[in-house]
Amino acid sequence: MRKIIVSEFVSLDGVMEEPNWTFRFNTDEQNQFKYEELKACDTLLLGRVTYEGFAASWTKVKNTVAKGVVIPDDFADRMNNYPKFVVSTTLQEVSWNNTRLIKGNIVEEVTKLKQLPGKDILVAGSCRFVNTLMQHDLIDEYRLMVFPIVVGKGKRLFNDRNDQKILQHVETRTFRSGVTVMTYRPQR
């Protein structure tokens, strides 16, 4: 069965919203890490807000440069061409290449998606959706890219509606910028 990998940019104080604050820490090694992560997956699963932001930006990105940041050669092609599933109760249609809308029973639809053949499924951003996945034990791995900054305000990754979850530490990786990636799996 495919795994659902949640990969998030998070500040030291837990904020994950509007991560423009990450750009000042950007390094080639972090870009390579994100590229390898994307290559290990073949499907994107997104909430509405992240989908709208990604669709608006990635469709305009030509390979190698995005907002002045150097990215691996086919990163944009992968983002634009991978199958994408967006979970939304408000969207009526989706226009980004290879995107399908999930409007029904989220747990049932995501479980079916995990059972399809293929590589792992990557979830980025999508705070509200990630919390729903977590409540239903559908996340197989958390990759938290923690940036050495206190943002002070904004949407936090984990909300107060979640039950206690115990996670098993898998790996920690630190980049020259001071950014760390902490990888956890649910303890089942």
Side-chain angles (χ1 to χ4, degrees), residues 48-169:
R48 178 191 55 83
V49 174
T50 301
Y51 164 78
E52 290 176 335
F54 279 13
S57 62
W58 282 108
T59 55
K60 295 175 185 162
V61 172
K62 301 300 180 217
N63 281 322
T64 70
V65 178
K67 293 185 180 181
V69 176
V70 175
I71 58 175
D73 283 343
D74 65 340
F75 198 101
D77 284 342
R78 288 175 186 274
M79 291 293 288
N80 286 311
N81 293 313
Y82 273 5
K84 292 168 280 294
F85 293 83
V86 58
V87 175
S88 175
T89 57
T90 58
L91 282 177
Q92 297 304 312
E93 59 184 48
V94 290
S95 58
W96 193 10
N97 185 39
N98 292 330
T99 301
R100 290 193 4 217
L101 186 58
I102 297 176
K103 291 183 80 73
N105 183 321
I106 294 171
V107 173
E108 185 178 301
E109 293 298 319
V110 170
T111 300
K112 285 181 192 175
L113 187 58
K114 287 178 74 167
Q115 294 170 347
L116 294 174
K119 295 180 179 180
D120 292 335
I121 301 162
L122 187 63
V123 179
S126 309
C127 184
R128 189 169 157 202
F129 177 51
V130 166
N131 279 275
T132 298
L133 291 172
M134 188 166 70
Q135 288 168 357
H136 294 283
D137 296 320
L138 290 168
I139 299 171
D140 299 290
E141 189 167 291
Y142 298 80
R143 293 182 190 150
L144 306 179
M145 189 173 253
V146 181
F147 289 76
I149 185 171
V150 174
V151 177
K153 63 180 179 178
K155 199 179 288 181
R156 298 215 166 9
L157 178 57
F158 302 114
N159 66 39
D160 293 341
R161 293 187 300 268
N162 288 313
D163 293 331
Q164 185 180 67
K165 302 284 183 188
I166 297 174
L167 304 177
Q168 178 182 353
H169 178 258

